[in-house]
């Protein structure tokens, strides 16, 4: 399903988005070795994924078993390895510094600010913009295609730079020994993202993934984490996955077996209190939704 862009002429021209938007796909997690003795997965949005004609929505994604499986797919797996991963999430406050190497500073900052506010509201985690890189643990760079590879090399290293071709934007995070996310990086080449109609989608998916939902899977629908579906903003299912991940009963380092019981308790509670019933409406309260005509 494609969403029609209904924002003002100002935003249409500045974002360089087509009338209809397709979401970015994310190539998933590349295991890049150690960084401060931690694993640093990389996430790169691809240019090529297209909607599978035969793909149809799940009749009822709000089925508790389905949501549990979706959490396992997105939070506990990486696309390019078969290892069994533990829960990964931030424990410390997230402080985001935006580096502007291109114009439209105010617009790009506004997009980031809107999405960060939505993520903070969903997760109840402390997420804020800061004015200096020294105060940040999440470094987001808006650059241009001509500097794309060099910026990935500078912030993410040579292993990451090998994966820039065919990618629209990239993100990576670093874990400590407890599987807590301590640092993260997002790089968006604006002209390249605009060319594919994915500027907003890059902001939304890459920042969301570095909160601890690193995998892509065609098994999960509807979701921004599915390369084959045209989602450009968070869906109700994405909302629930984030809300689950940042519930206090879910801790970084939990195994798939350990997380099963608290997930069940939370989902049963949200089924009873109406959270699941109303979530598709709730998620659209984010500030980006009216901007894109939702």
């Amino acid at each position: 399903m494609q969403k029609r862009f209904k924002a003002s002429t100002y935003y249409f021209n500045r974002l360089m988005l087509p009338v209809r938007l397709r979401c970015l796909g994310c190539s998933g997690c590349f295991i890049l070795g150690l960084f401060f003795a931690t694993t640093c997965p990389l996430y790169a949005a691809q240019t090529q994924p297209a909607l599978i004609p035969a793909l149809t929505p799940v009749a009822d994604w709000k089925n508790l078993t389905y949501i549990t499986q979706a959490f396992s797919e997105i939070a506990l797996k990486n696309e390019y390895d078969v290892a069994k991963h533990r829960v990964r999430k931030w424990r410390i406050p997230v402080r985001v510094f935006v580096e502007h190497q291109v114009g439209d500073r105010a617009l790009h900052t506004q997009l980031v600010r809107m999405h960060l506010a939505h993520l903070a509201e969903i997760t109840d985690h402390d997420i804020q913009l800061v004015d200096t890189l020294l105060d940040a643990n999440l470094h987001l760079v808006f650059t241009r295609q001509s500097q794309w590879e060099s910026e990935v090399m500078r912030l993410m290293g040579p292993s990451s730079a090998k994966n820039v071709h065919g990618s629209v934007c990239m993100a990576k995070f670093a874990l400590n020994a407890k599987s807590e996310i301590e640092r993260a990086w997002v790089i968006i080449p604006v002209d390249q993202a605009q060319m594919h109609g994915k500027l907003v989608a890059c902001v939304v998916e890459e920042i969301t993934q570095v909160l601890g939902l690193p995998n892509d899977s065609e098994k999960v629908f509807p979701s921004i984490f599915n390369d084959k579906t045209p989602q450009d903003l968070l869906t109700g299912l994405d909302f629930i996955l984030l809300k689950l991940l940042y519930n206090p009963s879910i801790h970084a380092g939990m195994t798939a077996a350990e997380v099963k019981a608290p997930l069940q308790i939370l989902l049963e509670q949200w089924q009873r209190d109406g959270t699941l019933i109303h979530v598709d409406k709730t998620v659209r309260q984010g500030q980006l939704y009216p901007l894109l005509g939702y």
Side-chain angles (χ1 to χ4, degrees), residues 65-279:
T65 299
Y66 183 82
I67 297 174
T68 301
Q69 292 172 345
F71 185 89
S72 177
E73 284 290 320
I74 302 303
L76 302 179
K77 292 184 179 181
N78 288 347
E79 187 170 359
Y80 288 99
D81 70 63
V82 294
K84 294 181 179 179
H85 294 277
R86 296 171 181 264
V87 171
R88 295 155 287 187
K89 62 187 287 188
W90 294 81
R91 180 183 58 83
I92 59 177
V94 179
R95 295 293 180 260
V96 183
F97 174 74
V98 181
E99 180 179 344
H100 300 275
Q101 298 179 356
V102 293
D104 289 331
R105 172 191 291 254
L107 174 61
H108 298 157
T109 300
Q110 183 182 16
L111 293 175
V112 172
R113 189 185 303 277
M114 286 178 168
H115 188 52
L116 292 179
H118 197 202
L119 291 173
E121 182 179 3
I122 295 169
T123 62
D124 199 28
H125 193 72
D126 188 354
I127 305 173
Q128 298 180 33
L129 282 173
V130 293
D131 295 326
T132 67
L133 183 57
L134 287 175
D135 294 325
N137 47 29
L138 196 167
H139 186 181
L140 191 160
V141 179
F142 286 101
T143 187
R144 54 182 56 85
Q145 188 174 13
S146 61
Q147 297 173 220
W148 170 224
E149 188 169 354
S150 62
E151 284 304 297
V152 173
M153 176 76 76
R154 176 174 74 96
L155 294 179
M156 300 179 181
S159 297
S160 303
K162 294 177 182 178
N163 301 299
V164 299
H165 301 293
S167 300
V168 180
C169 42
M170 282 188 179
K172 184 178 87 169
F173 61 61
L175 305 173
N176 63 22
K178 298 179 181 179
S179 295
E180 297 166 343
I181 303 172
E182 291 195 329
R183 299 196 68 82
W185 302 263
V186 173
I187 303 176
I188 301 174
V190 173
D191 50 349
Q192 180 170 269
Q194 289 174 335
M195 179 175 63
H196 295 285
K198 296 179 179 181
L199 178 57
V200 174
C202 275
V203 170
V204 171
E205 183 174 337
E206 302 299 347
I207 296 176
T208 304
Q209 290 206 292
V210 296
L211 289 191
L213 296 173
N215 195 26
D216 279 355
S217 176
E218 294 177 23
K219 299 177 182 179
V220 178
F221 186 94
S223 173
I224 61 169
F225 306 119
N226 186 327
D227 287 349
K228 306 299 184 181
T229 54
Q231 305 297 331
D232 45 273
L233 297 179
L234 298 177
T235 68
L237 178 55
D238 299 328
F239 180 103
I240 292 297
L241 296 180
L242 281 164
K243 194 172 177 67
L244 286 169
L245 180 62
Y246 278 86
N247 188 275
S249 65
I250 306 297
H251 306 287
M254 276 185 163
T255 64
E258 291 170 337
V259 80
K260 187 176 181 179
L263 287 180
Q264 186 70 19
I265 292 171
L266 288 170
L267 290 174
E268 289 177 354
Q269 174 186 330
W270 295 344
Q271 189 178 56
R272 291 192 301 269
D273 67 16
T275 298
L276 288 178
I277 295 174
H278 301 293
V279 69

